[in-house]
Amino acid sequence: MSTDTNLAPAMPSGEQARIPLSQRLSGLGGNARQYGIFAALIVIILLFQGLTDGRLLKPDNVVSLFQQNAYVMVLAIGMVMVIVAGHIDLSVGSVVALVGGIVALSITDWGLPWWVAVLLGVAIGAVVGAWQGFWIAYVGIPAFIVTLAGMLIFRGLALVVVSQTIRVNDDNFNSIVSGSLPNFLGFSGDMDVVTLVIGALTIAAFAIAQFRARMQLRKHDLHVEALGLFIAKLVGVAVAVGFLSVLLSLSAGGMPIILVIVGVLIVAYTFLMGRTVFGRHIYAVGGNRPAASLSGVRTKRVDFMIFVNIGALAGVAAIITTARGGAAVAAAGQNFELDAIAACFIGGAAVTGGIGRISGAIVGALIMGVLNMGLSIMSVDPSWQQAIKGLVLLFAVAFDLINKRRAGTS
Amino acid sequence: MSAVDPAQVGDFTDQQHDDVEQVITMSTSPVPLLSMRGISKNFGAVEALAGVDLDVFAHEVVALVGDNGAGKSTLAKVIAGAHTPDSGLIEIAGEPTSIPTPSAARTLGVATVFQDLALCDNLDVTSNLFLGREVKRGGLRDDGYMEATARRVLQALNSRIPSVRTPLSTLSAGQRQAVAIARTLIGEPRIVVLDEPTAALSVGQTAEVLTHIERLRELGLAVILISHNMTDVRAVSDRIVVLRHGRNNGTFDAATTSHEAVLAAITGATVRSTPRLHALR
């Protein structure tokens, strides 16, 4: 906390007051949108917490929220990169079915160890992605058409591979989704200590990363968020993560393995998009493809790589889906592409490309997940659930658009 | 939004000036920095360039003028490496060379601002300046270094950009042009090609861009300015090279040549001054 006192003198309240409000808000820039989506998630959680008489946030329900929605989050990570680059991928659901079928076969019929099957699944996903990436990047066929074709091709192949349900009776494999981290640190009261430690480490890592980013900005004399807002953000995240860890630690198993996997993917891809040259090039390609190309960005390679990437992530989603069901079916992954696309757009990605964030897509996926779970707990008819989710998608994007227009005119 | 903090404008110190001078090392030899001989380029049956010659020296702004379809932009794209000429010789600082790709042009010290600004609206100023040539440290982007350089380059141009983290979408047309010109200064260029930099700009913004062009000359670069606007051309250029139907149609000294003589060369009119040409002004 000593860092607070270091920061305080650089931000005297007098200086703060001189800046007109409009400028301060515009200084908030893209962050405002980001905070908005987090706020929406919290509102929806609180709403359903009330509507379900507190059942939504029962520890075991929170665990199954992550288990049920892990595939959307994994796919949304890949999808937001595709959307930022100005493309779309309609094939991920079919790829999930195909890869899921091959992974299940490789364990049951070919006798591969579960971890080899997992690697194989990711690799096949990447190969499928390379196939689609080739047509999109190097032949120049619009992604919409290539992946629409892919949707048919891979669903067809999935039906060939999985003629009937393939059961997977490998506990190691199935525990990828159903399992929890072993609680080798014991319990504190009813709480699993491993979960609490992971939560504490997450908060610490987030705070350190934020402080370092802020120091970096300050070192280069760049605009930083108001100190109050910065602290509010840290406290907000600490409370949210802390609360979540306590909930999870009270669940039957403790820390779900799947949440660790998804968490690692989120951090890795946020880093890739935010801090690497490749990430910057994805945004550039989506923002102005000819300009990026003239500037020396290898746009074709970028296009190719993001489709290889979403293919590999579809492989991960296939493993998750198969492990969760304990079986592969040819109909697996139905509408997964739509879930992932919806998550991205709720999370603030732009249809025109160039704009979108991993964190936004994840929050978008969580909003859809909480809606699903809340409505299910309230035993709302599934048909109505679908209609409600559709409306939420429409309103979220409309709200975003109206906000942007207002910001543009002021 | 458009209010500019006075503290951020115009405090361009001599020290910073020296820094930039050091970044952009110049050769001030009598040999032209860029010399093109007999450049031809056909697009199918269309003869875009037919044996064009062009010399540009350091510390010089050469205006390339001509009517629509005279081949100005094609010549610019040849210099930028976006088009390969069908025939002709290119020498840079006396060395015979070829410019097959935009990145080859960049290595040779040729920087181009294209007519349709090659900028990404969704990225900030720094990202645009370094797009395609990001500076890395330990495999990651060195954002701190790039931002510091971006600020120095913008200051060298006396440009009024509020912050190097401003997204391009919030900048005015003039500011974007400034970013596009500043982009050329990244990576030690010797020759800068500006294709219609003042098209679609307001009077004030045009004046600002013209000052930036003068700054490029002061920094010792060879500047090729392509423009339709004779007023702009006469305001900043040292020499005026006229193209007509893909051929050279006269080179004029900007300080001494009359407006009418240049216009006549552009339109192909043999008579020097007619009332109709005045009306064209």
Side-chain angles (χ1 to χ4, degrees), chain A residues 207-224:
Chain A
I208 290 169
Q210 290 289 317
F211 267 122
R212 285 183 56 179
R214 193 179 169 86
M215 286 310 189
Q216 191 72 14
L217 283 179
R218 195 167 285 289
K219 194 176 110 193
H220 293 289
D221 276 336
L222 289 164
H223 178 86
V224 289

Side-chain angles (χ1 to χ4, degrees), chain B residues 130-141:
Chain B
F130 281 90
L131 187 58
R133 50 194 147 168
E134 289 82 0
V135 179
K136 283 190 250 187
R137 194 172 56 184
L140 295 179
R141 289 198 321 256

Side-chain angles (χ1 to χ4, degrees), chain B residues 145-201:
Chain B
Y145 172 80
M146 288 194 278
E147 278 169 9
T149 313
R151 254 185 302 169
R152 218 180 46 204
V153 167
L154 288 170
Q155 275 171 341
L157 280 177
N158 297 342
S159 126
R160 309 178 178 204
I161 308 278
S163 154
V164 292
R165 287 213 175 183
T166 318
L168 257 275
S169 51
T170 61
L171 295 185
S172 74
Q175 287 173 322
R176 294 148 76 90
Q177 197 59 254
V179 172
I181 293 175
R183 228 178 103 78
T184 63
L185 290 178
I186 306 286
E188 310 196 8
R190 295 182 289 178
I191 301 159
V192 173
V193 183
L194 304 165
D195 193 356
E196 299 280 5
T198 55
L201 291 192

Side-chain angles (χ1 to χ4, degrees), chain B residues 10 26 48-49 70 111 113 126 155 173 176 180 193 196 206 214 219 251 256 279:
Chain B
M26 300 310 324
L49 294 174
V113 176
T126 309
Q155 275 171 341
R176 294 148 76 90
V193 183
E196 299 280 5
T206 301
E214 279 167 358
L219 293 169
T251 301
T256 57

Side-chain angles (χ1 to χ4, degrees), chain A residues 121-290:
Chain A
V122 178
I124 294 173
V127 169
V128 167
W131 158 265
Q132 305 201 105
F134 165 76
W135 292 104
I136 293 159
Y138 297 109
V139 183
I141 303 175
F144 187 91
I145 295 165
V146 171
T147 59
L148 183 61
M151 187 177 175
L152 301 171
I153 296 168
F154 302 120
R155 180 67 64 189
L157 292 180
L159 286 162
V160 172
V161 171
V162 192
S163 44
Q164 59 194 30
T165 304
I166 307 168
R167 294 230 152 266
V168 182
N169 296 317
D170 185 314
D171 287 343
N172 284 322
F173 182 76
N174 291 342
S175 68
I176 290 172
V177 174
S178 58
S180 312
L181 291 186
N183 61 338
F184 56 88
L185 294 177
F187 290 93
S188 158
D190 277 345
M191 295 186 290
D192 171 33
V193 176
V194 171
T195 310
L196 295 179
V197 168
I198 291 175
L201 289 177
T202 308
I203 294 171
F206 180 79
I208 290 169
Q210 290 289 317
F211 267 122
R212 285 183 56 179
R214 193 179 169 86
M215 286 310 189
Q216 191 72 14
L217 283 179
R218 195 167 285 289
K219 194 176 110 193
H220 293 289
D221 276 336
L222 289 164
H223 178 86
V224 289
E225 301 180 296
L227 185 64
L229 201 63
F230 179 72
I231 291 174
K233 182 166 79 177
L234 286 188
V235 170
V237 168
V239 167
V241 174
F243 180 63
L244 179 65
S245 326
V246 169
L247 277 182
L248 291 174
S249 72
L250 289 168
S251 74
M255 188 70 176
I257 291 171
I258 191 67
L259 184 57
V260 178
I261 295 172
V262 171
V264 168
L265 285 177
I266 292 171
V267 172
Y269 278 94
T270 305
F271 188 77
L272 177 80
M273 288 295 270
R275 296 281 293 126
T276 66
V277 172
F278 182 65
R280 171 73 50 85
H281 285 179
I282 296 176
Y283 283 101
V285 165
N288 187 342
R289 185 176 300 267

Side-chain angles (χ1 to χ4, degrees), chain B residues 34 36-37 49 51-57 60-67 70-72 75 79 223-228 230 233-234 237-244 246-254 257 261-263 265-266:
Chain B
L34 173 71
M36 304 175 91
R37 287 287 170 272
L49 294 174
V52 171
D53 297 342
L54 179 68
D55 285 321
V56 191
F57 295 85
E60 186 186 38
V61 178
V62 170
L64 203 55
V65 300
D67 213 338
K72 304 176 305 251
L75 190 59
I79 302 169
V223 182
I224 299 164
L225 167 68
I226 296 171
S227 183
H228 261 104
M230 286 308 295
V233 164
R234 293 170 65 84
S237 62
D238 302 301
R239 277 190 303 135
I240 302 173
V241 172
V242 179
L243 290 188
R244 180 168 160 74
R247 289 177 175 79
N248 285 86
N249 203 25
T251 301
F252 301 90
D253 184 83
T257 314
V262 177
L263 274 181
I266 292 174

